[in-house]
């Protein structure tokens, strides 16, 4: 059991990639706590399926995040891993995008990850060990129309990853990122057939990825097998970015 007796926090763990990460870490022996905000039924289903503990905690509330981490440490005595996965989208062309949608996406996707990293750094620094993985998106590197807020947040998350790695690496805490492309989740399920077809044509592997394929990379980056990897962004996009670069 790769993560036996270790404690992991996964934000946004009730559905999609987050749920797959929760399942993977739990299967590898970790005691997993995951957050949700609006989807209580999905969170309960994930908790029952994986044995993980669901915590209702909004990304925008730094005080609630700090309390959640303190409660986990009180129960378990440690925090070994953090996966910053929680995120939202509010796509719209910039000329029609209200500033509230810009602020909300930045606050949840980028500032929320910063708040969680800030909250877990104290127990990790005290232990002299830890691993953090931020879940980004190819949108942060490639840029997609109608996603100025989402792309900016995910691009910022990559910069945050590098800065945290530089700040924490010498203290025993590794920080990396995984960068998914088109993955089969609720978000991509909402795409119409023609949009899906056009996107698949741009992929070297000619299919959308599975959440479990991302979760496997997350688990690798958290594991001792990645002990000399720090400040990196591992792309899991079926060849989308490679095809664009050709």
């Amino acid at each position: 059991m790769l993560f036996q007796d270790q404690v992991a926090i996964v934000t946004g763990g009730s559905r999609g990639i987050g749920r797959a990460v929760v399942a993977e870490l739990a299967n590898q022996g970790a005691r997993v706590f995951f957050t949700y905000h609006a989807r209580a039924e999905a969170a309960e289903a994930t908790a029952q399926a994986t044995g993980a503990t669901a915590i209702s905690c909004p990304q925008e509330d730094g005080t609630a995040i700090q309390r959640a981490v303190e409660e986990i440490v009180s129960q378990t005595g440690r925090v070994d891993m953090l996966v910053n996965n929680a995120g939202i989208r509010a796509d719209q062309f910039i000329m029609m995008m209200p500033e509230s949608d810009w602020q909300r996406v930045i606050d949840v996707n980028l500032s929320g990850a910063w708040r969680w990293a800030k909250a877990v750094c104290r127990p990790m620094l005290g232990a002299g060990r830890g691993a953090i993985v931020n879940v980004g998106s190819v949108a942060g590197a490639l840029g997609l129309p109608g996603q100025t807020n989402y792309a900016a947040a995910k691009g910022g998350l990559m910069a945050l990853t590098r800065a945290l790695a530089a700040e924490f690496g010498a203290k025993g805490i590794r920080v990396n990122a995984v960068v998914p492309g088109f993955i089969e989740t609720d978000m991509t399920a909402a795409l119409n057939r023609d949009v899906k077809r056009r996107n698949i044509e741009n992929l070297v592997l000619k299919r959308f990825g599975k959440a479990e394929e991302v979760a496997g990379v997350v688990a690798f980056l958290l594991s001792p097998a990645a002990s000399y990897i720090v400040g990196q962004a591992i792309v899991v996009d079926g060849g989308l970015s490679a095809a664009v670069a050709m």
Side-chain angles (χ1 to χ4, degrees), residues 1-245:
M1 301 287 278
L2 193 59
F3 302 119
Q4 188 70 44
D5 299 324
Q6 294 190 38
V7 174
I9 300 173
V10 180
T11 69
S14 62
R15 299 180 297 143
I17 292 171
R19 176 170 177 156
V21 171
V22 169
E24 177 68 21
L25 299 184
N27 286 340
Q28 293 289 347
R31 183 173 179 183
V32 183
F33 297 81
F34 71 92
T35 70
Y36 71 97
H37 182 46
R39 306 218 176 214
E41 290 184 2
E44 178 62 23
T46 298
Q48 290 185 358
T50 63
T53 301
I55 302 171
S56 176
C57 187
Q59 290 283 99
E60 305 94 324
D61 190 339
T63 300
I65 289 170
Q66 184 64 47
R67 282 200 303 263
V69 171
E70 290 172 356
E71 179 60 26
I72 290 168
V73 173
S74 175
Q75 290 182 34
T76 68
R78 60 195 295 167
V79 174
D80 301 283
M81 299 173 279
L82 168 67
V83 180
N84 272 315
N85 169 75
I88 59 171
R89 279 172 46 189
D91 295 354
Q92 185 59 269
F93 292 117
I94 190 170
M95 65 187 300
M96 294 175 285
M97 181 183 291
E99 186 171 346
S100 59
D101 280 358
W102 165 269
Q103 295 289 357
R104 185 164 60 98
V105 170
I106 295 293
D107 201 19
V108 170
N109 296 11
L110 178 56
S111 300
W114 179 87
R115 293 180 186 108
W116 279 101
K118 180 178 175 64
V120 303
C121 73
R122 191 174 297 277
M124 286 185 176
L125 288 169
R129 65 178 185 276
I132 298 172
V133 173
N134 297 321
V135 179
S137 168
V138 292
L142 302 179
L144 297 172
Q147 290 192 333
T148 52
N149 50 5
Y150 187 75
K154 292 300 187 179
L157 193 61
M158 296 304 97
L160 176 67
T161 298
R162 292 189 293 271
L164 289 175
E167 192 166 326
F168 291 150
K171 299 174 176 65
I173 303 169
R174 293 184 303 104
V175 185
N176 290 291
V178 62
V179 184
F182 289 102
I183 307 298
E184 293 177 355
T185 64
D186 290 350
M187 285 186 180
T188 55
L191 298 174
N192 68 51
R193 184 178 301 178
D194 288 340
V195 172
K196 285 184 179 179
R197 177 182 54 77
R198 288 197 301 271
N199 285 319
I200 287 173
E201 288 174 355
N202 292 327
L203 302 177
V204 172
L205 296 184
K206 303 304 180 188
R207 67 173 177 86
F208 283 4
K210 299 182 183 303
E212 291 77 12
E213 292 174 306
V214 180
V217 179
V218 172
F220 165 71
L221 289 173
L222 293 170
S223 76
S227 60
Y228 204 57
I229 300 176
V230 63
Q232 301 303 304
I234 308 301
V235 179
V236 187
D237 70 354
L240 173 62
S241 51
V244 170

